[in-house]
Coordinates of all heavy atoms in Angstrom, one line a residue:
Chain A
L364 N 24.6 4.4 151.9 CA 25.6 5.1 151.1 C 26.4 6.0 152.1 O 25.9 6.5 153.0 CB 25.0 5.9 150.0 CG 24.0 5.2 149.0 CD1 23.6 6.2 148.0 CD2 24.7 4.0 148.4
S365 N 27.7 6.2 151.7 CA 28.6 7.1 152.5 C 29.2 8.1 151.5 O 29.4 7.8 150.3 CB 29.7 6.3 153.2 OG 29.1 5.4 154.1
C366 N 29.5 9.2 152.1 CA 30.2 10.3 151.3 C 31.2 10.9 152.2 O 30.9 11.6 153.2 CB 29.2 11.3 150.9 SG 29.9 12.8 150.1
A367 N 32.5 10.6 151.9 CA 33.6 11.1 152.7 C 34.1 12.4 152.1 O 34.4 12.5 150.9 CB 34.7 10.1 152.7
A368 N 34.2 13.4 153.0 CA 34.6 14.8 152.6 C 36.0 15.0 153.1 O 36.5 14.6 154.2 CB 33.7 15.8 153.2
S369 N 36.8 15.8 152.3 CA 38.1 16.2 152.6 C 38.4 17.6 152.2 O 37.8 18.1 151.2 CB 39.1 15.2 152.0 OG 39.1 15.2 150.6
R370 N 39.3 18.2 152.8 CA 39.8 19.5 152.4 C 38.8 20.6 152.5 O 38.9 21.6 151.8 CB 40.4 19.5 151.0 CG 41.7 18.6 150.9 CD 42.4 18.7 149.6 NE 41.6 18.1 148.6 CZ 41.8 18.1 147.3 NH1 42.9 18.8 146.9 NH2 41.1 17.6 146.4
F371 N 37.8 20.5 153.4 CA 37.0 21.7 153.7 C 36.4 21.4 155.1 O 36.3 20.3 155.6 CB 35.9 22.0 152.6 CG 34.8 21.0 152.5 CD1 33.6 21.3 153.1 CD2 35.0 19.9 151.7 CE1 32.5 20.4 152.9 CE2 33.9 19.0 151.6 CZ 32.7 19.2 152.2
T372 N 35.9 22.5 155.7 CA 35.3 22.4 157.0 C 33.9 21.8 156.9 O 32.9 22.5 156.8 CB 35.2 23.8 157.7 OG1 36.5 24.4 157.6 CG2 34.8 23.7 159.1
F373 N 33.9 20.5 157.0 CA 32.6 19.8 156.7 C 31.4 20.2 157.5 O 30.4 20.4 157.0 CB 32.9 18.3 157.0 CG 31.8 17.3 156.6 CD1 31.4 17.2 155.3 CD2 31.1 16.6 157.7 CE1 30.3 16.3 155.0 CE2 30.1 15.8 157.4 CZ 29.7 15.6 156.1
S374 N 31.6 20.5 158.8 CA 30.5 20.8 159.6 C 29.9 22.1 159.3 O 28.8 22.5 159.8 CB 30.9 20.7 161.1 OG 32.0 21.6 161.4
S375 N 30.5 22.9 158.5 CA 30.0 24.3 158.2 C 29.1 24.3 157.0 O 28.6 25.4 156.7 CB 31.2 25.2 158.0 OG 32.0 25.4 159.1
Y376 N 28.9 23.1 156.4 CA 28.2 23.1 155.2 C 27.0 22.1 155.2 O 27.2 21.0 155.6 CB 29.1 22.7 154.0 CG 30.1 23.8 153.7 CD1 31.4 23.8 154.4 CD2 29.8 24.8 152.8 CE1 32.3 24.8 154.1 CE2 30.8 25.8 152.6 CZ 32.0 25.8 153.2 OH 32.9 26.8 153.0
A377 N 25.9 22.6 154.7 CA 24.8 21.7 154.5 C 25.2 20.7 153.4 O 26.0 21.1 152.5 CB 23.5 22.4 154.1
M378 N 24.6 19.5 153.4 CA 25.0 18.5 152.4 C 23.7 18.0 151.7 O 22.6 18.0 152.3 CB 25.8 17.4 153.0 CG 27.1 17.8 153.6 SD 28.3 18.3 152.3 CE 28.5 16.8 151.4
N379 N 23.9 17.5 150.5 CA 22.7 17.0 149.7 C 23.0 15.7 149.1 O 24.2 15.3 148.8 CB 22.4 18.0 148.6 CG 22.3 19.4 149.1 OD1 21.3 19.9 149.5 ND2 23.4 20.2 149.0
W380 N 22.0 14.9 148.8 CA 22.0 13.8 147.9 C 21.1 14.0 146.7 O 20.0 14.5 146.9 CB 21.5 12.5 148.7 CG 22.5 12.0 149.7 CD1 22.4 12.1 151.0 CD2 23.6 11.2 149.4 NE1 23.5 11.5 151.6 CE2 24.2 10.9 150.7 CE3 24.3 10.6 148.3 CZ2 25.4 10.1 150.8 CZ3 25.4 9.9 148.4 CH2 26.0 9.6 149.6

Side-chain angles (χ1 to χ4, degrees):
Chain A
L364 306 184
S365 299
C366 171
S369 61
R370 294 185 292 172
F371 69 99
T372 310
F373 182 67
S374 61
S375 295
Y376 293 89
M378 296 293 294
N379 310 274
W380 287 101

